[in-house]
Amino acid sequence: MSNNPIRYSTACPATGASTNVATLLNASQTFPVNFSGVSDPTTNNPSTFTVGGWIRRQSTSAAGTVFTVNGQLTITMDSTGVLTAALGNIQLASEVPISDVNWHYVAVTYMPSYMPAPATETGFLTLYIDGLVVAEEEINVTTPGQGSGCYLGVNAAPLEFISWTIWSEALPSDVIGAPQWGDPTHGTTAADGLVAAFDFANGPAKDLSINNYPVSVAAQSWHTPSMLVNSGGGTANIASTNVNPGGGTGTPAAFSILGWVYIPSSPSLQANAVYPIFTNGNLTLRLSTDANSVLSAGFAWPTATNVYQTPVSTGEWVHWAVTWDGADTATFYLNGIMASALELTPTAITTPAPALAGSNGTAGAYYLQGVSIWSTCLTQGSVDQYMLGADPTKHSACVANFALLTDLGDSVNGNKLNVVNNSCQITELITPVTTAEAVPAMEPVALEGPRLLLAQDLIAIAKKNGIDVDTPLSEAEMAGPDYAEIGKWFDGLTAQLPAKAAARLKNEFLRNARIGLELREKGIKAGTFTMSVEGGDTVGYYHTEAGPQEVYRLTGTVLTPTQQWAITVIFDVISLIASMFGIVTAGAKVTKAVGILEPEISQLITAIQNAYSISDSALMKAQKVSMAVLGTIYSANLTYTVIKEIVTGSWWSLAFTITNAVLMIAALVASSGALIAVRVLQMGVQLGQLVHDLQKMPTPPSPELAAASS
């Protein structure tokens, strides 16, 4: 899965363009808004509107056209930062300028005048900056402007935008006076006259209003606030005495350290260069290159002989984490995935000197964001949650958190990093929004219904409902009937790993499975599929946090309880396939994939029934049934159509995905499930729910199941 740290995008002029429209709104079409400044009583079409959005100058002398629509309303900025709103023959200049290069909310409202003759004023024009009125005038538009098109940033104006909104009403000052950064719909809905809400801050430009107007952008840039570590390395010492991961005599105490790092693609990497991320005594987390300039990430503790290096790429943000269990195992994660687990006896850190980056850096400039330090050994699931944006400061074991967004402060202790020789400072890393991001990574174009909840969603739901998501399985649970058999099987898969690492991997998997099982046993249906007979129809529902949503209906068909049960099980397995590929899909799309299998329902019921024995553990039954369903899909040559249905509309290269899906499912079937545990390690929640559904097999069996069994 593609993840990123905290960042935002902007619409901006294309570099080097002499005549360029930064953003074209709604192509050459018009909006249902009268921008002329003149109300037409014969058509009951008053000229009333509000336009506004967040803009930033690229320099303190930046000037140009901010916005223009139909040649009627134009907002410009001069080189001193004074804004002027021109409505027909009227020009209204701001009394105060925008003299800096910070983000500001700019808005213009126009309210028509309904004064009877002999009054000549047509309306009230008001100009706002950051919610404050900076110009206001009762005006008389005698010559409306003429033209066509709606644009932001005309003629390569050196301005950036993160949102722009159009309303068909003059919003009151209390709404304008409370702008929310970047949100083009804040405080208003279609009922308030919201016409268009163009969002540029979250990747590819789009209109968030119900009208979904088209928008084209000449260029966009990602802005990632972060700490720049200057070329040659730098040191930012951690001042708090509370922050001493692993410190003290004897065996170091448990700890975790995690965050984001970015190594630019240019200039080219040098051989044997070092990019320190965190140092504390003889513990070092770092990226480095070898003699061939190949970049890797890892850690050293206590000597270089303990370094585990995992290849990483330049030009992209990488999430890293190292955890120590306080006994004998250190685990290193990259992008939420365990890269290594080493059994070692490290030297105690008796003279701590914790610091971000480190003075032994020998490489070019690089960037850090979101570094947190913990007095506990985080699980893989927790590492994943904090990578996805959970707030570390809400956990009592977080002893330091350096967001590195606006300053060098620690939000836990209130201290600031002590930077040596100005070698580190807060900046914004600017990178282009690429064509490949035309649809956000892992998001389909159209979900066609509720998004299929992922493992992290379900873990969060479990936590809200009082289910323990952190405590590892006890030895008694591991030896219990539900887990012992699957544990033996898992041991065989991980035999090549160090014993401690293998045990942790197994516990992560089984704990997630326990969460899924407990969700269902508590009656929490979020993330599940259920069926019912309504009149003469069989109806399937996918359950979200907001409630059930219909995703499946067989009109005029009443399925037997066993057929309903089998389709529910098949839904679980197809969801598992989606999870294995990390595909964000929808309940309705999974149901369509299940629908492809309806002609094979008898064969599938037989395969499910024959897959396991009554003596198998619950999780072993789930594993065997998953393989049986996959095997049926494969043997019936339905792999292509099933996978295609799940991923249709995705940003993925469909041919590439389907090719790999076929090879993977073939490998799964051939290996008797040896790969499934590795692929669905983080999907244990769904497997736990499958366990629950398998336990609900109708008894006594319906006639077709009895026939299949015989």
Side-chain angles (χ1 to χ4, degrees), residues 366-400:
Y366 56 107
Y367 301 82
L368 299 175
Q369 192 201 93
V371 179
S372 57
I373 303 171
W374 306 70
S375 61
T376 188
C377 180
L378 294 176
T379 64
Q380 181 165 355
S382 294
V383 169
D384 201 42
Q385 288 297 301
Y386 293 111
M387 178 184 69
L388 294 172
D391 184 359
T393 62
K394 296 185 180 300
H395 197 299
S396 60
C398 180
V399 297

Side-chain angles (χ1 to χ4, degrees), residues 452-476:
L452 200 67
L453 296 178
L454 300 176
Q456 55 262 38
D457 302 315
L458 297 171
I459 290 172
I461 292 170
K463 197 168 185 178
K464 289 179 186 176
N465 286 275
I467 294 175
D468 184 359
V469 300
D470 294 316
T471 305
L473 273 69
S474 65
E475 291 187 10

Side-chain angles (χ1 to χ4, degrees), residues 46 132 627:
L132 301 176
M627 296 312 306

